[in-house]
Amino acid sequence: MLLEFTVNGVPHRVDTDPEQPLLWLLREQLQLTGTKFGCGMGLCGACTVHIDGAPMRSCTLPAVAAQGRVVTTIEGIGVANGELHPVQSAWLLMNVPQCGYCQSGQVMSAVALLNSNPKPSDDDIDNAMSGNLCRCGTYPRIRAAIHLAASEIQAVSYYDPREQGLDQERSS
Amino acid sequence: MSVDRRLFLKLSALAGGGLMLGFTLPACSSKPSGFPNQHAGALQANAFLQLTQQGQFILQLHRAEMGQGVYTGMATLAAEELDLSPEQLQIEHAQYHPDFADPEMKLMLTGGSSSIRNSYHIVREAAASFAHILRLAATQLDANLNTSQALPELLSAVKQGGAWAEYLVLAGQISAPDEIVLKSPKDFQQIGQHNQRLDALDKITGKAQYAMDVQVPNALDAVLLRCPQLGGKVLSFKAETALASSNVVKIIEVTDGIAVIAKGYWYARKAAKLVQIEWQTDAAAKLNTAELLIERQHLLDTEEGYEAEEIGNKKDAVGERFEAQYEVPYLAHACMEPLSAIADVSAHKVTLWAGNQAPDVVIGAVAKATGIDKSLISFHNQMLGGGFGRKTLPDYIVQAALISQAAGMPIRLQWSREEDIQHDYYRPSATARLSATIAENNPTSLHSRVSSPSVLGSYLPAVATGLLPGWLPESLPNFAAGVTAKRDYSSTEGLTHSPYQFAYKRCDYVLQKQAMPVGYWRSVGHSQNAFFLESFIDELAHRCQQDPLAFRRHLMAEDEAHTRVLNALESLSRWGQLEANQFQGVAIHKSFGTIVGEVLTLSKGQNGLVIERVDCVVDCGLVINPDIVIAQMESGIIFGLTAALKGKIDVIDGAVQQSNFHDYPLLRLNESPQIRVRILDSEQAPQGVGEPATPPIAPALANALFAATGKRQRALPLSMA
């Protein structure tokens, strides 16, 4: 089938099997490799993209479901001119990533959460983020970074635990 | 909001996820001419560092970045001696070169939490040597230049003088100094100060490149069907229907499986479901985890085994005898990145792209498998989407090379999550019996007896054939593996050399030969042995009617370093100062040179027991990047909690029963506790950080659960009920 949709603001027409998951179409046909393959069953969230603003697992979503829709990937969430989204800035300030493989999906889920809920509680974060696995265990920092993005991100120029009065100790 | 460049200022990182080799192999690869990744016209002082004609310093990252932070850590070490900030270095994944070999393991290998420990001098020396040459060249170029200023300012002055090209030529003629003076720790500007990760920006914008993301023109996508049962080989197969499936290019029998090659991963996977294969299996297809457990118990009943440690006199083991048996299952690594490799194999050249912890193991194994000389093979390492020891093995890269060779085209091999879990090299399943004698509430002896498969016995034949000289008999690696397996020190590590003093101590290892393929898994033998020992010490404390933390302090009184960690942990965790319905468990363990103590606090509410927080104290010697140390403690704890609460691989008739995250679950964000980390100051040499936080967490949880329920759980995974 001929799939017509918008990806990161750019209209695309792509020939694909309608059943091919959107993940592989993005990665292989559009070379948008920031979206990752983790499980193929929608269990880990590494492949999270936004369809019309809603977070979806692209590894199980057939390409046909994107027909006429607006798709946003990790490559497309910066504010403008290659600048970072506030969620990405918070991730950077909190040194969230380790191996980094799951982080595109984590960031996409967090952006979607803050779009719908600008001041999430811990329970809200649990509900929105527990579908995104991280084997390195960056969860405490993800939680802290979401709170940071939601609150004082504009006020913080860079993160140094010692300036926060925590010495080399962090309550996460 | 733009990124403040100050984000990237200062300090560094630490090692992680892997193994510690108990053997050394000669690095027999013929030395490549020159250094890899050489930039045209650049001044190259040594394998690690170059200065380009544009004035850019380039560092070869000789260790695999798999989340543990070596990308930042190595840059910090080099930057320190070059008077730079780490973010000013351009960093490239190093290709294989003998100068990148680990001084202990004699291999270019990332494992055993050794990266910073074993690079602390090497990388600084490489940088200091380069700095010395650059200063000397400046003197020769222009005696009026002030060579006491910081190196970047000196280089700016040279550039402004207009003789930059001449300067690089001059510097290229100067040999490395015989003696190198390194900066004194009191003068460090970056080490211990820099607190940001250099790879974070790429990893949150989708730009970081993992194996799967490498774009190789004309590479087609391959999947490899293998027998679900261990050791199975192809007897026959039918692929007509699959071959007619859309986008499919080739279907071939290769490396004990059937490779389906297509334009696009999903098309290859879809067609693979249509291939009918008849498998031929052997004795390995009879393995069952339930039977292996019974066999280990029988092995422990025998008098067999290797005495790994004996301290004191057996006659001092007096008093009432108390014994307990513990058990841990096989575990998969479950890196978030399913294994992937790209290979382009022709008659005279092999190019490989993948993420791997051991480039020379990769090159040796691919040379052996393809029959192509090592000197014709180049391996391009990538960011690893997790390693944890899994990527010390070259199996998936060898498969990619063999498929490419057989198909005569470049291919990208992609494993599914199911293949990743079912064809792993597992953390060994192990059984331990610990016994003590107690006289008047004082323990007088400790005897641990453990049975498990040997990781070393599995790893040695898997990698050695490609590393040993060709004239050695083919049987040698297997013979050597058989000999070393029986005494594999990693099977008892942590049970031996414990800080606890007993009048009599002994530790035995009984090898279990029947096994699933086993491999190095974050913290290796410590991952189970800390659970055995620290659970048993807790049991002894209760039997001796003493507080578990005070009991430990008493038993390790002669060990100042352990006592320091335990005391700091007591204060950080507010040990014993509990509210109603709170319960604590403590464990302390040294691995990879680093002591980590953890107290886990449970709280009992409407939904039963919940892990409220984990307090962690670490003594890892001198710290390169404090925040990365904290991150690795958090990481090791959460990784260990998955094993403590969820991890279990079951095998029936040689086939792994688990397949994806629904039946091999990992800890999720909503289950992740609050974690507080305190790093103890130290002027000792840097030690490991990637692994040591994992071993204590399972016993800390088991001990807290005992405090809460009065029920002792002696098998992982634990039940919170």
Side-chain angles (χ1 to χ4, degrees):
Chain A
M1 67 170 286
L2 194 63
L3 179 70
E4 296 189 47
F5 66 148
T6 302
V7 183
N8 300 333
V10 180
H12 283 275
R13 292 169 61 138
V14 188
D15 187 30
T16 177
D17 184 316
E19 288 177 25
Q20 176 178 216
L22 182 63
L23 169 69
W24 299 105
L25 189 152
L26 291 170
R27 288 185 52 83
E28 296 175 354
Q29 287 168 265
L30 302 186
Q31 276 84 51
L32 291 169
T33 56
T35 307
K36 301 303 185 202
F37 167 55
C39 69
M41 288 178 72
L43 299 170
C44 77
C47 64
T48 305
V49 298
H50 297 174
I51 311 281
D52 293 341
M56 304 286 273
R57 308 298 191 223
S58 65
C59 75
T60 49
L61 190 78
V64 65
Q67 184 71 267
R69 305 287 200 95
V70 173
V71 175
T72 309
T73 70
I74 187 70
E75 291 89 349
I77 60 155
V79 175
N81 307 320
E83 289 188 355
L84 296 179
H85 187 279
V87 165
Q88 290 171 313
S89 298
W91 247 243
L92 210 50
L93 297 168
M94 297 303 296
N95 278 339
V96 174
Q98 291 186 30
C99 92
Y101 194 81
C102 72
Q103 295 298 337
S104 296
Q106 303 280 3
V107 168
M108 295 308 285
S109 289
V111 168
L113 166 64
L114 289 171
N115 281 344
S116 64
N117 179 357
K119 291 279 179 193
S121 66
D122 275 337
D123 282 349
D124 295 335
I125 294 174
D126 279 354
N127 288 333
M129 300 301 295
S130 290
N132 286 80
L133 288 174
C134 171
R135 186 59 160 149
C136 299
T138 62
Y139 301 132
R141 286 164 190 251
I142 288 173
R143 185 187 300 283
I146 291 173
H147 283 308
L148 180 65
S151 59
E152 54 191 355
I153 184 161
Q154 302 299 331
V156 180
S157 64
Y158 68 101
Y159 172 74
D160 185 335
R162 285 158 303 177
E163 292 190 7
Q164 311 279 322
L166 294 172
D167 197 6
Q168 290 176 0
E169 185 178 318
R170 167 180 296 161
S171 195
S172 50
Chain B
M1 173 173 173
S2 66
V3 189
D4 188 328
R5 289 304 293 176
R6 283 181 300 169
L7 271 175
F8 299 109
L9 288 181
K10 298 160 187 265
L11 215 292
S12 133
L14 287 242
L19 65 152
M20 181 69 148
L21 292 179
F23 65 98
T24 57
L25 290 166
C28 297
S29 315
S30 52
K31 188 164 176 164
S33 58
F35 297 106
N37 289 0
Q38 227 164 349
H39 288 249
L43 172 64
Q44 177 131 30
N46 46 55
F48 291 90
L49 285 157
Q50 298 172 60
L51 178 62
T52 68
Q53 288 180 320
Q54 291 71 40
Q56 173 69 50
F57 284 97
I58 301 174
L59 173 70
Q60 297 303 310
L61 181 64
H62 70 307
R63 297 296 187 129
E65 174 57 63
M66 44 194 173
Q68 84 281 41
V70 290
Y71 188 91
T72 310
M74 295 303 169
T76 305
L77 295 179
E80 183 68 66
E81 298 293 337
L82 294 168
D83 305 329
L84 298 171
S85 293
E87 81 280 2
Q88 292 177 298
L89 288 162
Q90 183 178 322
I91 303 168
E92 296 179 345
H93 297 290
Q95 291 187 50
Y96 171 74
H97 189 276
D99 290 1
F100 297 135
D102 182 271
E104 284 175 14
M105 297 183 275
K106 314 294 182 198
L107 292 169
M108 184 177 173
L109 191 150
T110 308
S113 295
S114 67
S115 292
I116 290 296
R117 187 173 71 232
N118 289 345
S119 303
Y120 180 59
H121 288 288
I122 294 171
V123 172
R124 285 191 302 144
E125 280 170 8
S129 166
F130 201 6
H132 176 89
I133 291 169
L134 292 171
R135 288 182 188 283
L136 199 59
T139 319
Q140 291 179 4
L141 183 75
D142 179 356
N144 294 323
L145 281 168
N146 170 17
T147 54
S148 64
Q149 60 189 324
L151 192 61
E153 280 79 58
L154 177 61
L155 294 180
S156 292
V158 170
K159 264 192 173 169
Q160 279 164 16
W164 180 250
E166 186 189 339
Y167 171 72
L168 289 184
V169 172
L170 253 179
Q173 291 162 353
I174 299 173
S175 311
D178 292 334
E179 280 190 34
I180 300 160
V181 181
L182 297 176
K183 270 191 191 171
S184 163
K186 69 177 167 43
D187 299 325
F188 284 162
Q189 301 289 309
Q190 308 298 336
I191 293 173
Q193 313 295 317
H194 185 258
N195 229 354
Q196 291 293 335
R197 283 189 75 110
L198 300 179
D199 53 352
L201 182 61
D202 281 353
K203 287 177 174 177
I204 56 167
T205 51
K207 292 192 182 99
Q209 186 171 279
Y210 304 85
M212 207 187 297
D213 308 327
V214 179
Q215 304 291 320
V216 174
N218 304 321
L220 296 181
D221 295 283
V223 300
L224 181 64
L225 295 163
R226 296 161 74 191
C227 183
Q229 290 171 286
L230 185 64
K233 292 177 170 42
V234 177
L235 193 64
S236 65
F237 73 105
K238 283 186 196 163
E240 292 79 12
T241 328
L243 206 50
S245 185
S246 64
N247 282 18
V248 172
V249 175
K250 249 180 199 183
I251 299 180
I252 50 176
E253 182 179 344
V254 60
T255 183
D256 294 341
I258 302 296
V260 178
I261 303 171
K263 290 175 186 158
Y265 170 76
W266 179 76
Y267 296 95
R269 190 59 74 190
K270 191 180 173 196
K273 290 182 184 142
L274 304 172
V275 180
Q276 295 170 295
I277 308 171
E278 201 180 336
W279 301 102
Q280 183 176 35
T281 58
D282 58 19
K286 294 192 169 58
L287 280 186
N288 284 281
T289 35
E291 290 166 13
L292 290 172
L293 165 60
I294 294 167
E295 185 192 56
R296 281 198 303 278
Q297 292 173 348
H298 289 159
L299 287 168
L300 290 176
D301 288 337
T302 66
E303 297 293 311
E304 305 270 304
Y306 165 65
E307 190 179 280
E309 184 180 68
E310 186 177 33
I311 297 170
N313 196 325
K314 197 174 180 180
K315 72 172 169 47
D316 293 328
V318 293
E320 186 195 353
R321 187 163 182 279
F322 166 61
E323 181 182 286
Q325 180 175 298
Y326 302 87
E327 171 72 22
V328 298
Y330 283 112
L331 292 176
H333 294 79
C335 302
M336 287 311 298
E337 173 194 30
L339 292 168
S340 180
I342 304 166
D344 186 358
V345 178
S346 61
H348 303 295
K349 190 175 170 217
V350 177
T351 314
L352 307 164
W353 297 262
N356 192 275
Q357 296 173 236
D360 53 356
V361 169
V362 167
I363 290 171
V366 170
K368 181 82 180 172
T370 59
I372 296 170
D373 192 81
K374 286 180 192 174
S375 62
L376 303 173
I377 301 174
S378 61
F379 171 60
H380 302 273
N381 220 346
Q382 307 296 322
M383 286 290 184
L384 276 60
F388 314 116
R390 175 62 181 91
K391 293 165 187 170
T392 56
L393 284 149
D395 54 325
Y396 54 106
I397 306 175
V398 170
Q399 289 167 358
L402 289 173
I403 295 168
S404 171
Q405 189 176 38
M409 59 178 72
I411 62 97
R412 171 195 315 272
L413 174 65
Q414 180 62 57
W415 287 31
S416 65
R417 172 57 58 194
E418 289 77 12
E419 290 163 346
D420 197 86
I421 287 180
Q422 299 188 330
H423 295 282
D424 201 347
Y425 288 75
Y426 303 91
R427 196 286 303 275
S429 171
T431 305
R433 265 179 216 161
L434 279 76
S435 60
T437 45
I438 304 169
E440 292 167 7
N441 278 352
N442 278 309
T444 55
S445 73
L446 175 72
H447 184 186
S448 47
R449 194 164 158 74
V450 60
S451 180
S452 72
S454 161
V455 177
L456 186 59
S458 171
Y459 192 65
L460 198 57
V463 306
T465 46
L467 293 168
L468 294 168
W471 49 264
L472 284 170
E474 291 274 334
S475 59
L476 187 74
N478 287 324
F479 173 75
V483 172
T484 51
K486 288 178 192 165
R487 324 183 143 215
D488 183 352
Y489 83 97
S490 76
S491 303
T492 55
E493 62 186 357
L495 288 170
T496 56
H497 307 294
S498 89
Y500 300 119
Q501 299 283 312
F502 292 86
Y504 179 67
K505 265 204 294 195
R506 179 172 160 177
C507 176
D508 306 329
Y509 172 52
V510 192
L511 171 68
Q512 182 176 37
K513 287 181 184 164
Q514 276 202 97
M516 291 299 285
V518 292
Y520 293 95
W521 188 96
R522 195 176 198 170
S523 80
V524 198
H526 295 285
S527 73
Q528 68 263 20
N529 292 335
F531 170 65
F532 301 152
L533 181 60
E534 283 296 275
S535 295
F536 190 68
I537 292 290
D538 218 68
E539 296 207 48
L540 288 182
H542 289 288
R543 286 190 87 86
C544 295
Q545 298 175 336
Q546 292 180 43
D547 172 78
L549 193 143
F551 181 74
R552 283 173 170 81
R553 181 158 46 213
H554 175 67
L555 275 180
M556 59 173 57
E558 289 175 28
D559 189 318
E560 284 178 26
H562 274 83
T563 302
R564 189 169 77 121
V565 171
L566 201 60
N567 288 342
L569 183 62
E570 182 177 34
S571 134
L572 179 70
S573 68
R574 296 186 292 278
W575 174 260
Q577 301 166 44
L578 298 171
E579 292 168 21
N581 294 324
Q582 280 189 327
F583 309 92
Q584 287 180 321
V586 62
I588 182 168
H589 193 80
K590 181 177 184 178
S591 59
F592 311 98
T594 289
I595 303 169
V596 178
E598 290 163 8
V599 166
L600 182 146
T601 303
L602 291 169
S603 61
K604 195 171 190 175
Q606 288 175 337
N607 300 323
L609 289 166
V610 173
I611 302 174
E612 190 175 292
R613 67 168 202 271
V614 175
D615 293 294
C616 169
V617 174
V618 52
D619 177 0
C620 58
L622 187 137
V623 171
I624 311 302
N625 184 320
D627 198 52
I628 290 181
V629 173
I630 292 170
Q632 284 310 295
M633 294 302 111
E634 295 166 351
S635 176
I637 287 166
I638 290 170
F639 192 91
L641 279 175
T642 286
L645 285 168
K646 298 166 186 279
K648 193 167 192 279
I649 288 291
D650 297 304
V651 180
I652 296 177
D653 295 338
V656 170
Q657 301 301 297
Q658 286 75 17
S659 62
N660 207 316
F661 295 126
H662 62 289
D663 55 9
Y664 193 75
L666 309 180
L667 206 75
R668 292 181 179 271
L669 180 134
N670 62 317
E671 303 164 304
S672 175
Q674 181 190 15
I675 298 171
R676 297 192 299 201
V677 178
R678 176 171 290 162
I679 304 169
L680 297 187
D681 286 336
S682 172
E683 290 173 3
Q684 304 295 314
Q687 300 296 323
V689 165
E691 298 169 86
T694 296
I697 196 63
L701 175 58
N703 297 340
L705 285 168
F706 177 79
T709 64
K711 199 175 113 197
R712 177 60 62 177
Q713 296 186 53
R714 299 191 179 100
L716 297 184
L718 304 166
S719 163
M720 289 288 281

